[in-house]
Amino acid sequence: MHTSSTSRHRTTRHGAVRALSGFLLAGALALTGCTAGGDSDSSGAGNDKAAAAGLAGPEGAKDTGGARGGKPGGRKPPKLTGTHVVHTATLTVRVKDVHKALGEARAAAEDAGGLVGNESTSRDGGGRERSRVVLRVPQEAYEDVLHALEGTGKLLGREVKAQDVTDRVVDVESRVKSQRASVARVRELMDKATKLSDVVTLEGELSTRQADLESLLAQRASLKDRTSMATITLSLTEGAREGGGGDDDPTFGDALAGGWDAFVTGLRWIAVALAAALPFAAVAALLLLLWLRVVRRRATRPGPDSAP
Protein backbone atom coordinates (compact mmCIF):
# COMPACT_ATOMS: atom_id res chain seq x y z
CA MET A 1 0.00 0.00 0.00
CA HIS A 2 2.90 2.30 0.66
CA THR A 3 4.24 1.52 -2.78
CA SER A 4 0.95 2.46 -4.37
CA SER A 5 0.85 5.89 -2.69
CA THR A 6 4.45 6.57 -3.68
CA SER A 7 3.67 5.84 -7.33
CA ARG A 8 0.65 8.10 -7.21
CA HIS A 9 2.77 10.89 -5.70
CA ARG A 10 5.33 10.56 -8.47
CA THR A 11 2.64 10.64 -11.15
CA THR A 12 1.19 13.83 -9.68
CA ARG A 13 4.65 15.48 -9.59
CA HIS A 14 5.35 14.59 -13.20
CA GLY A 15 1.97 16.05 -14.26
CA ALA A 16 2.69 19.29 -12.44
CA VAL A 17 6.13 19.55 -14.02
CA ARG A 18 4.67 18.95 -17.46
CA ALA A 19 1.97 21.57 -16.91
CA LEU A 20 4.54 24.08 -15.65
CA SER A 21 6.80 23.35 -18.63
CA GLY A 22 3.91 23.84 -21.08
CA PHE A 23 2.98 27.13 -19.45
CA LEU A 24 6.55 28.38 -19.57
CA LEU A 25 6.88 27.32 -23.24
CA ALA A 26 3.63 29.10 -24.16
CA GLY A 27 4.81 32.25 -22.39
CA ALA A 28 8.17 32.13 -24.14
CA LEU A 29 6.48 31.71 -27.53
CA ALA A 30 4.16 34.61 -26.75
CA LEU A 31 7.05 36.85 -25.78
CA THR A 32 9.00 35.83 -28.89
CA GLY A 33 6.00 36.59 -31.12
CA CYS A 34 5.49 40.02 -29.58
CA THR A 35 9.17 40.83 -29.89
CA ALA A 36 9.25 39.72 -33.52
CA GLY A 37 6.07 41.65 -34.26
CA GLY A 38 7.53 44.79 -32.68
CA ASP A 39 10.77 44.41 -34.63
CA SER A 40 8.84 43.79 -37.81
CA ASP A 41 6.70 46.88 -37.26
CA SER A 42 9.74 49.01 -36.47
CA SER A 43 11.67 47.73 -39.46
CA GLY A 44 8.60 48.17 -41.71
CA ALA A 45 8.13 51.71 -40.49
CA GLY A 46 11.84 52.37 -40.94
CA ASN A 47 11.75 50.91 -44.45
CA ASP A 48 8.68 52.97 -45.29
CA LYS A 49 10.39 56.11 -44.03
CA ALA A 50 13.57 55.29 -45.94
CA ALA A 51 11.58 54.59 -49.09
CA ALA A 52 9.67 57.83 -48.65
CA ALA A 53 12.92 59.68 -48.09
CA GLY A 54 14.44 57.98 -51.13
CA LEU A 55 11.50 58.93 -53.33
CA ALA A 56 11.32 62.44 -51.99
CA GLY A 57 15.09 62.98 -52.21
CA PRO A 58 15.46 63.14 -56.03
CA GLU A 59 12.28 65.15 -56.40
CA GLY A 60 13.46 67.56 -53.73
CA ALA A 61 16.79 67.85 -55.48
CA LYS A 62 15.07 68.51 -58.81
CA ASP A 63 12.80 71.10 -57.27
CA THR A 64 15.73 72.81 -55.58
CA GLY A 65 17.76 72.79 -58.78
CA GLY A 66 14.80 74.17 -60.72
CA ALA A 67 14.29 76.93 -58.19
CA ARG A 68 17.95 77.90 -58.33
CA GLY A 69 18.60 77.58 -62.04
CA GLY A 70 15.24 78.49 -63.54
CA LYS A 71 15.25 75.22 -65.58
CA PRO A 72 16.00 71.67 -64.29
CA GLY A 73 19.63 70.93 -65.06
CA GLY A 74 19.92 73.95 -67.40
CA ARG A 75 21.76 77.25 -67.55
CA LYS A 76 20.02 80.57 -67.19
CA PRO A 77 19.49 82.21 -70.58
CA PRO A 78 21.02 85.68 -70.97
CA LYS A 79 18.63 88.41 -69.94
CA LEU A 80 17.98 90.77 -72.86
CA THR A 81 15.50 93.57 -72.60
CA GLY A 82 13.26 94.55 -75.50
CA THR A 83 12.92 93.13 -78.97
CA HIS A 84 15.39 93.15 -81.84
CA VAL A 85 13.91 94.01 -85.24
CA VAL A 86 15.59 94.42 -88.64
CA HIS A 87 13.97 97.24 -90.66
CA THR A 88 14.39 97.48 -94.45
CA ALA A 89 12.61 99.69 -96.98
CA THR A 90 12.64 100.20 -100.76
CA LEU A 91 11.40 103.48 -102.27
CA THR A 92 10.98 104.51 -105.90
CA VAL A 93 10.45 108.26 -106.39
CA ARG A 94 10.12 110.32 -109.56
CA VAL A 95 11.73 113.75 -109.29
CA LYS A 96 12.43 116.69 -111.61
CA ASP A 97 16.12 116.91 -110.75
CA VAL A 98 17.91 113.70 -109.78
CA HIS A 99 21.08 115.43 -108.57
CA LYS A 100 19.17 117.75 -106.28
CA ALA A 101 16.99 114.95 -104.85
CA LEU A 102 20.09 112.79 -104.33
CA GLY A 103 21.75 115.59 -102.36
CA GLU A 104 18.65 115.97 -100.19
CA ALA A 105 18.59 112.22 -99.50
CA ARG A 106 22.23 112.23 -98.46
CA ALA A 107 21.68 115.21 -96.18
CA ALA A 108 18.64 113.57 -94.54
CA ALA A 109 20.60 110.37 -93.80
CA GLU A 110 23.71 112.15 -92.51
CA ASP A 111 21.73 114.59 -90.35
CA ALA A 112 20.05 111.62 -88.69
CA GLY A 113 23.43 110.08 -87.86
CA GLY A 114 23.42 107.59 -90.73
CA LEU A 115 25.65 106.98 -93.70
CA VAL A 116 25.45 106.58 -97.47
CA GLY A 117 26.22 103.15 -98.91
CA ASN A 118 26.33 101.97 -102.52
CA GLU A 119 25.34 104.48 -105.20
CA SER A 120 24.87 104.11 -108.96
CA THR A 121 23.68 106.53 -111.67
CA SER A 122 22.71 105.84 -115.30
CA ARG A 123 20.63 107.16 -118.21
CA ASP A 124 17.83 105.39 -120.03
CA GLY A 125 17.12 105.37 -123.78
CA GLY A 126 15.31 108.71 -123.57
CA GLY A 127 18.25 110.45 -121.92
CA ARG A 128 16.59 110.58 -118.51
CA GLU A 129 18.83 110.13 -115.49
CA ARG A 130 18.30 107.40 -112.91
CA SER A 131 20.04 106.96 -109.55
CA ARG A 132 19.99 104.24 -106.93
CA VAL A 133 21.45 104.75 -103.45
CA VAL A 134 21.50 102.68 -100.25
CA LEU A 135 21.15 104.59 -96.98
CA ARG A 136 21.83 103.30 -93.44
CA VAL A 137 20.10 105.24 -90.66
CA PRO A 138 19.64 104.61 -86.92
CA GLN A 139 16.48 102.78 -85.90
CA GLU A 140 15.12 105.71 -83.91
CA ALA A 141 15.33 108.02 -86.96
CA TYR A 142 14.09 105.43 -89.47
CA GLU A 143 10.49 106.67 -89.77
CA ASP A 144 11.45 110.35 -90.02
CA VAL A 145 14.01 109.72 -92.77
CA LEU A 146 11.54 107.53 -94.62
CA HIS A 147 8.90 110.27 -94.68
CA ALA A 148 11.47 112.86 -95.73
CA LEU A 149 12.57 110.73 -98.70
CA GLU A 150 8.97 110.11 -99.78
CA GLY A 151 8.43 113.89 -99.95
CA THR A 152 11.24 114.58 -102.42
CA GLY A 153 8.97 113.86 -105.42
CA LYS A 154 6.17 111.64 -106.67
CA LEU A 155 6.18 108.28 -104.89
CA LEU A 156 5.98 105.43 -107.42
CA GLY A 157 6.66 102.45 -105.17
CA ARG A 158 7.10 101.70 -101.47
CA GLU A 159 7.99 98.41 -99.78
CA VAL A 160 8.70 98.24 -96.05
CA LYS A 161 9.73 95.10 -94.11
CA ALA A 162 10.27 94.41 -90.40
CA GLN A 163 11.84 91.11 -89.29
CA ASP A 164 11.90 90.14 -85.61
CA VAL A 165 15.24 88.44 -84.82
CA THR A 166 15.01 88.47 -81.02
CA ASP A 167 15.12 84.67 -80.76
CA ARG A 168 18.18 84.53 -82.98
CA VAL A 169 19.96 87.21 -80.93
CA VAL A 170 19.25 85.33 -77.69
CA ASP A 171 20.45 82.06 -79.22
CA VAL A 172 23.69 83.57 -80.52
CA GLU A 173 24.40 85.25 -77.17
CA SER A 174 23.89 81.95 -75.34
CA ARG A 175 26.12 80.07 -77.79
CA VAL A 176 28.86 82.69 -77.48
CA LYS A 177 28.82 82.33 -73.69
CA SER A 178 28.96 78.52 -73.88
CA GLN A 179 31.71 78.55 -76.50
CA ARG A 180 33.85 80.91 -74.42
CA ALA A 181 33.50 78.59 -71.44
CA SER A 182 34.46 75.65 -73.66
CA VAL A 183 37.59 77.43 -74.88
CA ALA A 184 38.54 78.27 -71.29
CA ARG A 185 38.21 74.59 -70.28
CA VAL A 186 40.46 73.47 -73.10
CA ARG A 187 43.06 76.06 -72.08
CA GLU A 188 42.98 74.75 -68.51
CA LEU A 189 43.51 71.20 -69.78
CA MET A 190 46.46 72.37 -71.88
CA ASP A 191 48.04 73.96 -68.82
CA LYS A 192 47.78 70.66 -66.95
CA ALA A 193 48.84 68.39 -69.84
CA THR A 194 52.28 66.78 -69.53
CA LYS A 195 52.40 64.48 -72.57
CA LEU A 196 53.26 65.85 -75.97
CA SER A 197 50.50 63.85 -77.65
CA ASP A 198 47.92 65.32 -75.28
CA VAL A 199 49.19 68.84 -75.95
CA VAL A 200 48.96 68.34 -79.72
CA THR A 201 45.42 66.96 -79.46
CA LEU A 202 44.31 69.79 -77.21
CA GLU A 203 45.83 72.39 -79.52
CA GLY A 204 43.77 71.05 -82.44
CA GLU A 205 40.63 71.07 -80.31
CA LEU A 206 41.38 74.60 -79.12
CA SER A 207 41.85 75.82 -82.69
CA THR A 208 38.50 74.33 -83.74
CA ARG A 209 36.64 75.83 -80.80
CA GLN A 210 38.23 79.24 -81.29
CA ALA A 211 37.17 79.19 -84.96
CA ASP A 212 33.60 78.40 -83.90
CA LEU A 213 33.74 81.21 -81.35
CA GLU A 214 34.95 83.70 -83.96
CA SER A 215 32.12 82.66 -86.28
CA LEU A 216 29.57 83.23 -83.52
CA LEU A 217 31.10 86.62 -82.71
CA ALA A 218 30.81 87.60 -86.38
CA GLN A 219 27.14 86.57 -86.39
CA ARG A 220 26.53 88.61 -83.26
CA ALA A 221 28.22 91.66 -84.78
CA SER A 222 26.15 91.33 -87.96
CA LEU A 223 22.92 91.05 -85.99
CA LYS A 224 23.88 94.07 -83.88
CA ASP A 225 24.58 96.13 -86.99
CA ARG A 226 21.34 95.11 -88.71
CA THR A 227 19.19 95.74 -85.65
CA SER A 228 20.78 99.08 -84.77
CA MET A 229 20.81 100.54 -88.30
CA ALA A 230 17.87 100.41 -90.76
CA THR A 231 18.50 100.01 -94.50
CA ILE A 232 16.68 102.18 -97.05
CA THR A 233 17.16 101.59 -100.79
CA LEU A 234 16.13 104.71 -102.73
CA SER A 235 15.61 104.74 -106.51
CA LEU A 236 15.27 108.15 -108.15
CA THR A 237 13.93 108.57 -111.71
CA GLU A 238 13.83 111.81 -113.65
CA GLY A 239 10.43 113.04 -114.76
CA ALA A 240 9.40 114.96 -117.90
CA ARG A 241 11.37 118.07 -118.86
CA GLU A 242 9.83 121.47 -118.34
CA GLY A 243 7.47 122.35 -121.20
CA GLY A 244 7.09 118.72 -122.18
CA GLY A 245 3.57 118.26 -120.83
CA GLY A 246 4.43 117.60 -117.18
CA ASP A 247 4.14 113.80 -117.35
CA ASP A 248 5.51 110.76 -119.15
CA ASP A 249 2.42 110.03 -121.30
CA PRO A 250 3.21 110.06 -125.09
CA THR A 251 1.66 112.84 -127.21
CA PHE A 252 0.73 113.03 -130.93
CA GLY A 253 4.04 114.74 -131.67
CA ASP A 254 5.91 112.02 -129.85
CA ALA A 255 4.05 109.35 -131.81
CA LEU A 256 4.72 111.12 -135.14
CA ALA A 257 8.38 111.56 -134.31
CA GLY A 258 8.61 107.94 -133.30
CA GLY A 259 6.97 106.82 -136.55
CA TRP A 260 9.31 108.96 -138.64
CA ASP A 261 12.30 107.61 -136.75
CA ALA A 262 11.08 104.07 -137.40
CA PHE A 263 10.61 104.84 -141.13
CA VAL A 264 14.08 106.34 -141.45
CA THR A 265 15.56 103.46 -139.53
CA GLY A 266 13.83 101.00 -141.88
CA LEU A 267 15.19 102.78 -144.96
CA ARG A 268 18.62 102.79 -143.43
CA TRP A 269 18.50 99.05 -142.84
CA ILE A 270 17.28 98.47 -146.40
CA ALA A 271 20.17 100.52 -147.77
CA VAL A 272 22.59 98.58 -145.61
CA ALA A 273 21.15 95.29 -146.88
CA LEU A 274 21.41 96.42 -150.50
CA ALA A 275 24.96 97.56 -149.97
CA ALA A 276 25.82 94.20 -148.49
CA ALA A 277 24.20 92.34 -151.43
CA LEU A 278 25.68 94.59 -154.15
CA PRO A 279 28.92 92.61 -154.64
CA PHE A 280 26.99 89.38 -155.06
CA ALA A 281 24.57 91.08 -157.48
CA ALA A 282 27.48 92.43 -159.58
CA VAL A 283 29.08 89.00 -159.86
CA ALA A 284 25.74 87.46 -160.78
CA ALA A 285 25.16 90.11 -163.47
CA LEU A 286 28.61 89.51 -164.95
CA LEU A 287 28.04 85.80 -165.12
CA LEU A 288 24.67 86.38 -166.75
CA LEU A 289 26.22 88.61 -169.41
CA LEU A 290 28.90 86.04 -170.17
CA TRP A 291 26.33 83.31 -170.47
CA LEU A 292 24.16 85.38 -172.81
CA ARG A 293 27.17 86.18 -175.04
CA VAL A 294 28.09 82.50 -175.34
CA VAL A 295 24.52 81.60 -176.20
CA ARG A 296 24.37 84.28 -178.90
CA ARG A 297 27.64 83.13 -180.48
CA ARG A 298 26.36 79.61 -180.72
CA ALA A 299 23.12 80.87 -182.22
CA THR A 300 24.85 82.99 -184.92
CA ARG A 301 27.55 80.41 -185.84
CA PRO A 302 26.69 78.60 -189.22
CA GLY A 303 26.19 74.92 -189.09
CA PRO A 304 28.13 72.27 -191.17
CA ASP A 305 25.19 71.70 -193.54
CA SER A 306 24.83 75.34 -194.51
CA ALA A 307 26.00 76.46 -198.01
CA PRO A 308 29.18 78.49 -198.37
Side-chain angles (χ1 to χ4, degrees):
M1 188 170 182
H2 178 71
T3 303
S4 169
S5 53
T6 302
S7 300
R8 185 178 301 170
H9 179 69
R10 289 178 178 176
T11 301
T12 303
R13 181 189 291 178
H14 285 299
V17 170
R18 289 180 180 176
L20 181 60
S21 299
F23 178 75
L24 291 176
L25 180 60
L29 291 176
L31 291 174
T32 303
C34 291
T35 304
D39 294 339
S40 176
D41 293 340
S42 299
S43 122
N47 291 335
D48 292 340
K49 291 180 180 179
L55 292 176
E59 294 296 331
K62 290 183 180 179
D63 293 341
T64 304
R68 290 179 181 178
K71 291 182 180 180
R75 185 183 289 111
K76 282 186 178 181
K79 295 181 180 180
L80 298 175
T81 59
T83 58
H84 300 266
V85 181
V86 177
H87 291 283
T88 57
T90 302
L91 298 178
T92 302
V93 182
R94 185 170 63 194
V95 296
K96 294 181 179 181
D97 190 345
V98 171
H99 287 288
K100 182 179 178 181
L102 191 58
E104 294 176 356
R106 290 175 182 168
E110 293 173 355
D111 292 343
L115 53 92
V116 180
N118 298 332
E119 180 183 338
S120 61
T121 303
S122 61
R123 290 184 180 274
D124 58 9
R128 295 175 181 175
E129 196 171 3
R130 299 176 183 272
S131 290
R132 182 178 180 273
V133 62
V134 178
L135 306 174
R136 302 294 307 282
V137 297
Q139 294 284 2
E140 56 272 12
Y142 168 68
E143 294 292 340
D144 295 337
V145 175
L146 202 61
H147 289 307
L149 295 177
E150 291 175 358
T152 55
K154 183 178 180 181
L155 183 63
L156 301 180
R158 182 177 186 269
E159 183 179 1
V160 177
K161 295 181 181 179
Q163 181 183 5
D164 189 354
V165 294
T166 305
D167 293 341
R168 188 175 175 184
V169 170
V170 173
D171 178 65
V172 171
E173 287 288 346
S174 177
R175 292 170 63 187
V176 166
K177 185 177 180 180
S178 300
Q179 196 66 21
R180 280 178 173 169
S182 178
V183 171
R185 285 195 299 268
V186 175
R187 289 185 182 276
E188 291 177 359
L189 292 175
M190 287 184 63
D191 294 338
K192 297 178 181 179
T194 56
K195 295 182 180 180
L196 181 60
S197 58
D198 295 340
V199 173
V200 172
T201 302
L202 290 172
E203 283 182 350
E205 187 66 23
L206 179 62
S207 177
T208 301
R209 298 191 183 190
Q210 283 182 337
D212 294 340
L213 177 59
E214 291 176 359
S215 176
L216 290 172
L217 291 175
Q219 293 182 29
R220 186 177 69 174
S222 175
L223 285 171
K224 183 178 180 181
D225 177 70
R226 293 170 58 195
T227 54
S228 61
M229 299 286 285
T231 303
I232 302 176
T233 303
L234 176 64
S235 297
L236 299 172
T237 61
E238 193 174 17
R241 302 287 183 178
E242 292 184 0
D247 54 12
D248 292 337
D249 295 334
T251 61
F252 176 77
D254 295 334
L256 184 60
W260 177 254
D261 291 339
F263 176 72
V264 173
T265 302
L267 290 179
R268 186 182 298 114
W269 279 109
I270 292 173
V272 171
L274 291 176
L278 185 60
F280 300 97
V283 173
L286 181 60
L287 293 176
L288 181 61
L289 289 175
L290 292 175
W291 182 76
L292 291 175
R293 182 173 294 183
V294 170
V295 170
R296 286 180 181 179
R297 284 183 180 181
R298 288 183 180 179
T300 57
R301 183 182 300 176
D305 297 337
S306 61

